[in-house]
Amino acid sequence: MEVKIEPSWKEALQEEFGKDYFAKLTSFVKDEYKKGAVYPPPKNIFRAFDLTPFNKVKVVILGQDPYHGVGQANGLCFAVGEGVALPPSLQNIFKEIEQDTGPVKHKTGDLERWAKQGVLLLNATLTVRARTAGSHQGKGWEEFTDAAIKTLSEEREHLVFILWGNYAKAKGAHIDRTKHLVIESPHPSPFSAYSGFFGSKPFSKTNAYLKKQGLEEIDWL
């Protein structure tokens, strides 16, 4: 099956594209786009992979579902389209960055600047029906993104996996912690941010680890 995705990821995940679940997933997603509004736009479904090639990944941040409001989802987890109001979780992420590393210079929600530095902003599910949270869960996306995480864990070394909330922790349960750093905390949503997300310092911890490995740190600001 021909999938338009960044070449290094296409090679790394080649086996997935030939599996039955992926054929069913592709058929389902195409049908959903024909029926009505689905986010993100088709060209952005694999944007996280396109902006952060397999061998350039330094950090993985796991999200769950794309945002389901108009103009929000842009293919990167927690991010929104340029000029769109920042959702509460992203506001809290910026607050933690400011407490952890210093004033944020770019309070825009796109987060492409992180992706281009090697931060894979990966949602578990890559599409969603407009105004219907979780509508594309259980259709095969989770299997595909599990394969991406598994391949990174097995074939790369010294990555940082940032897992916010119980869903992300469960999805990242099989990461090889003997050769990667896994940072876990509550989710940055308003419901849980004060239960341990604030003060967890994931951004400075990430950079300290990258520096220790002789890798360039991420400019989160």
Side-chain angles (χ1 to χ4, degrees):
M1 183 173 297
E2 188 59 33
V3 178
K4 291 180 180 176
I5 191 171
E6 193 277 330
S8 65
W9 277 109
K10 191 165 195 173
E11 185 179 342
L13 297 173
Q14 191 62 50
E15 284 185 21
E16 301 306 307
F17 302 130
K19 291 181 178 177
D20 285 348
Y21 87 84
F22 198 84
K24 289 174 185 170
L25 170 64
T26 302
S27 176
F28 167 77
V29 170
K30 283 181 177 175
D31 197 41
E32 284 285 282
Y33 275 101
K34 285 176 189 168
K35 284 183 190 170
V38 172
Y39 303 127
K43 66 177 182 178
N44 285 342
I45 292 174
F46 295 112
R47 188 168 177 237
F49 298 97
D50 295 338
L51 289 174
T52 315
F54 184 77
N55 290 318
K56 302 285 187 186
V57 175
K58 295 180 183 176
V59 182
V60 181
I61 297 179
L62 288 184
Q64 188 166 353
D65 236 24
Y67 295 117
H68 54 85
V70 177
Q72 288 185 303
N74 69 356
L76 306 178
C77 73
F78 294 103
V80 288
E82 208 60 58
V84 176
L86 301 184
S89 289
L90 187 53
Q91 289 181 38
N92 286 338
I93 287 168
F94 283 154
K95 282 180 189 173
E96 177 60 18
I97 290 173
E98 296 206 314
Q99 291 174 10
D100 187 12
T101 63
V104 174
K105 301 190 292 278
H106 307 288
K107 281 194 179 173
T108 54
D110 185 80
L111 303 186
E112 181 176 311
R113 63 191 182 278
W114 295 0
K116 287 182 172 178
Q117 294 179 75
V119 182
L120 181 67
L121 293 159
L122 184 63
N123 273 318
T125 306
L126 300 187
T127 53
V128 69
R129 199 177 305 139
R131 298 174 298 281
T132 315
S135 49
H136 287 188
Q137 290 177 6
K139 303 295 182 183
W141 278 132
E142 294 91 341
E143 192 170 340
F144 178 73
T145 50
D146 279 348
I149 295 163
K150 182 173 183 278
T151 306
L152 282 169
S153 177
E154 290 177 354
E155 297 185 16
R156 296 287 313 280
E157 289 186 336
H158 310 310
L159 301 181
V160 181
F161 291 86
I162 299 177
L163 311 179
W164 289 327
N166 291 331
Y167 184 91
K169 289 176 191 175
K171 193 166 179 70
H174 302 296
I175 295 163
D176 185 346
R177 296 171 190 233
T178 64
K179 62 175 184 172
H180 302 291
L181 175 65
V182 177
I183 298 172
E184 297 181 343
S185 82
H187 195 276
S189 87
F191 302 107
S192 53
Y194 288 95
S195 303
F197 171 74
F198 287 134
S200 61
K201 301 186 180 296
F203 308 102
S204 61
K205 286 176 183 173
T206 294
N207 279 349
Y209 181 81
L210 293 176
K211 189 175 182 180
K212 188 179 174 186
Q213 304 304 328
L215 300 168
E216 193 172 342
E217 298 166 58
I218 305 298
D219 178 5
W220 300 106
L221 308 178

